[in-house]
Amino acid sequence: MWLSGKALLGLIPSTKKKKRERNRSHLLMTPSAVNKIKQLLKDKPEHVGVKVGVRTRGCNGLSYTLEYTKTKGDSDEEVVQDGVRVFIEKKAQLTLLGTEMDYVEDKLSSEFVFNNPNIKGTCGCGESFNI
């Protein structure tokens, strides 16, 4: 599990299509993601939540970023779910519209996974995506 300073986490775009209806107004978090963020923030009392963004990089255009944050930015959208605060950077707000954030663990890795219905394609390694 990676989360040190600003460089973060196994952030993987998912191309799985969910059959359930999504709330298109903001990011939704699974109970697994909420619990993991609570666990990560427990050791960081000076931080109020995590900030999600997108950056131009990778072979397919965009990739997710996730970092601890001490304050809400002026143009950040705040999502509060089960006591967890997630701030979405302005540049990422339309990209993440209707996205589900999950936390998945298996024998070899643990990572946050974004099930984003807006993704049109991903690169072969799965690290970047395009809208």
Side-chain angles (χ1 to χ4, degrees):
M1 175 63 218
W2 333 309
L3 186 66
S4 59
K6 288 188 174 186
L8 292 227
L9 317 179
L11 303 173
I12 306 297
S14 174
T15 55
K16 274 194 310 189
K17 298 291 183 196
K18 296 277 186 176
K19 292 190 179 191
R20 67 182 177 83
E21 280 295 310
R22 294 178 188 270
N23 180 344
R24 303 269 312 157
S25 65
H26 56 74
L27 179 75
L28 300 172
M29 292 176 280
T30 65
S32 178
V34 168
N35 291 334
K36 186 61 180 181
I37 293 171
K38 283 181 181 179
Q39 178 187 4
L40 292 169
L41 289 172
K42 188 185 300 184
D43 297 333
K44 305 253 184 236
E46 69 277 12
H47 293 91
V48 297
V50 294
K51 186 175 287 195
V52 178
V54 294
R55 298 288 180 263
T56 304
R57 83 176 147 213
C59 52
N60 215 324
L62 298 171
S63 64
Y64 297 108
T65 63
L66 189 62
E67 60 189 38
Y68 296 109
T69 188
K70 294 180 180 180
T71 60
K72 177 185 183 289
D74 291 338
S75 58
D76 291 347
E77 177 184 339
E78 182 176 3
V79 176
V80 179
Q81 185 176 323
D82 298 325
V84 169
R85 296 172 72 189
V86 174
F87 304 97
I88 303 171
E89 293 178 345
K90 184 175 183 173
K91 180 180 175 183
Q93 289 172 9
L94 289 177
T95 303
L96 291 171
L97 193 64
T99 296
E100 177 190 71
M101 181 179 175
D102 194 9
Y103 181 74
V104 179
E105 292 182 278
D106 63 26
K107 291 179 183 179
L108 299 175
S109 67
S110 59
E111 57 201 7
F112 285 99
V113 176
F114 292 85
N115 298 308
N116 188 334
N118 306 307
I119 291 178
K120 302 296 183 222
T122 60
C123 66
C125 66
E127 293 293 323
S128 63
F129 62 95
N130 63 53
I131 301 288

